Amino acid sequence: MAESANAMTVALPAVFDLDTLDSVRDGLIDAMEQGAVRIDGTGVQRVATNALLMLLSAAQTAMRNGLGFEITGTSAPMLAAIDRLGFKPGFAALMRG
């Protein structure tokens, strides 16, 4: 995914689970309507599988629409979940820094 200096940043909540999924999704939709998206996951302490799947889906949507999508910060718990669930290949192209 292409990086963009003008990307809108969407900060993920500390607990990124089913209770917060809708609000993050709405934030991603709003950001994509403006252009490129940058995800900040540095504050994530707990993450659900569905939340990670939503991020992968959002990245595919952005790519289909020619928009940049990148993850510039990932906490240790988020990285551990990505690895444990076998999502590392899908996230590898999205992660920066």
Side-chain angles (χ1 to χ4, degrees):
M1 302 286 155
E3 291 184 49
S4 174
N6 298 323
M8 282 194 68
T9 299
V10 175
L12 300 178
V15 178
F16 187 21
D17 62 5
L18 295 177
D19 292 333
T20 58
L21 206 58
D22 289 342
S23 64
V24 173
R25 182 202 62 225
D26 292 345
L28 286 169
I29 290 169
D30 290 344
M32 280 193 220
E33 287 176 352
Q34 304 299 315
V37 177
R38 180 174 295 122
I39 302 295
D40 179 1
T42 56
V44 174
Q45 296 172 9
R46 192 172 70 223
V47 61
T49 303
N50 289 354
L52 294 174
L53 289 170
M54 184 184 68
L55 290 177
L56 291 173
S57 177
Q60 289 174 350
T61 299
M63 185 173 67
R64 237 185 352 262
N65 292 317
L67 303 172
F69 190 97
E70 63 186 12
I71 300 172
T72 58
T74 49
S75 65
M78 187 172 169
L79 286 172
I82 289 168
D83 189 44
R84 184 176 57 249
L85 294 166
F87 294 161
K88 207 172 195 177
F91 277 90
L94 305 175
M95 293 186 185
R96 308 281 181 265

